[in-house]
Amino acid sequence: MGAVSSTMKFRLHFVVDPKGWLCISMVFGVWLYNTVFVPKLVLLPHYNEGHIPWALVVCYYIASALCVTALLRASTADPGQLPHDLKIPQSEQENWQLCNKCNRMRPKRSHHCSRCGHCVRKMDHHCPWINNCVGEDNHWLFLQLCFYTQVLSLFTLFLDFCQYYYFQPLSKLDQEFTTLHEVALLRGSAIMGLMMFGGMSSLFHTQITGILSDTTAIEKMSQFTTDTCRSKKSWQLALAEVFGTSWKILWFLPLRKRQPLRLAYHFV
């Protein structure tokens, strides 16, 4: 297992881990299932018969696009890997420490990931479902993924409910397909929606709590932090530092480049 990075407009980061590939394929499969069958069985038939407005169809596809974009970006973004030829200024050396696994200098609060094979700045955890670490440079994308997965899952559950209890019956439909497949497909969609919404809601709450307390998941598990004198931050500043901008509208856009608000350390 290891990682390969390349420098482009967005710095790509690929982790060579077959187990991670399986996990992210399952997540992508759930997204594809709902993106194909919910419009086919619910949205498009009711829109064609004038039961629902076009805006509802567009909103579902926008939520689906944002969800998969956040997934792809979170899984391929560099989480905070240090360059191999870094040079630490003399004045900054007290903020660095030697990793006992790769024998390289790293900033404090960094952690060595055994799956990726390198140290990650302010590493939160390694997530098999995106086949990548969650660290300083891609934490904001992981938060977006959690948020948009909740939105899409809740949207899907809402449409599955409306299909049975609210929407008008369809006059033009494929009776054979509907009889044989619709119930099973929509039940599968609802079950996956419940699982994804429940799991992501819990994870999103954990992530937000950690950000507001300025504590990573690794630090929580170890119940130890080397810096107990961190100043309390407002929730706006804490989230702005994670997303790299104080413009809240940009917190929801996955297709942009993050710039840190402040540099906690320097290296060249």
Side-chain angles (χ1 to χ4, degrees), residues 164-177:
Y164 288 110
Y165 300 106
Y166 183 76
F167 288 155
Q168 300 177 33
L170 294 170
S171 58
K172 299 177 183 178
L173 47 77
D174 186 340
Q175 293 290 346
E176 182 178 357
F177 181 87

Side-chain angles (χ1 to χ4, degrees), residues 90-198:
Q90 187 71 26
S91 59
E92 295 285 334
Q93 289 187 0
E94 64 179 13
N95 296 323
W96 293 65
Q97 57 188 193
L98 181 67
C99 175
N100 58 9
K101 294 183 180 179
C102 61
N103 293 320
R104 296 181 57 203
M105 295 299 292
R106 66 187 186 187
K108 291 181 178 179
R109 303 188 71 187
S110 300
H111 186 80
H112 186 92
C113 178
S114 57
R115 287 195 173 273
C116 294
H118 57 73
C119 291
V120 176
R121 300 192 316 274
K122 202 176 180 181
M123 177 177 168
D124 188 81
H125 68 286
H126 182 92
C127 179
W129 301 107
I130 63 171
N131 191 33
N132 200 359
C133 283
V134 177
E136 184 174 303
D137 289 347
N138 72 339
H139 202 167
W140 64 286
L141 290 166
F142 187 73
L143 283 178
Q144 286 186 352
L145 174 61
C146 293
F147 175 76
Y148 285 123
T149 301
Q150 290 177 87
V151 171
L152 186 60
S153 300
L154 195 60
F155 208 158
T156 298
L157 290 171
F158 168 76
L159 291 172
D160 290 342
F161 176 83
C162 289
Q163 173 70 358
Y164 288 110
Y165 300 106
Y166 183 76
F167 288 155
Q168 300 177 33
L170 294 170
S171 58
K172 299 177 183 178
L173 47 77
D174 186 340
Q175 293 290 346
E176 182 178 357
F177 181 87
T178 302
T179 303
L180 294 177
H181 304 290
E182 180 186 13
V183 174
L185 289 172
L186 289 182
R187 282 180 179 174
S189 173
I191 291 172
M192 287 186 288
L194 285 171
M195 293 175 61
M196 296 298 289
F197 181 76

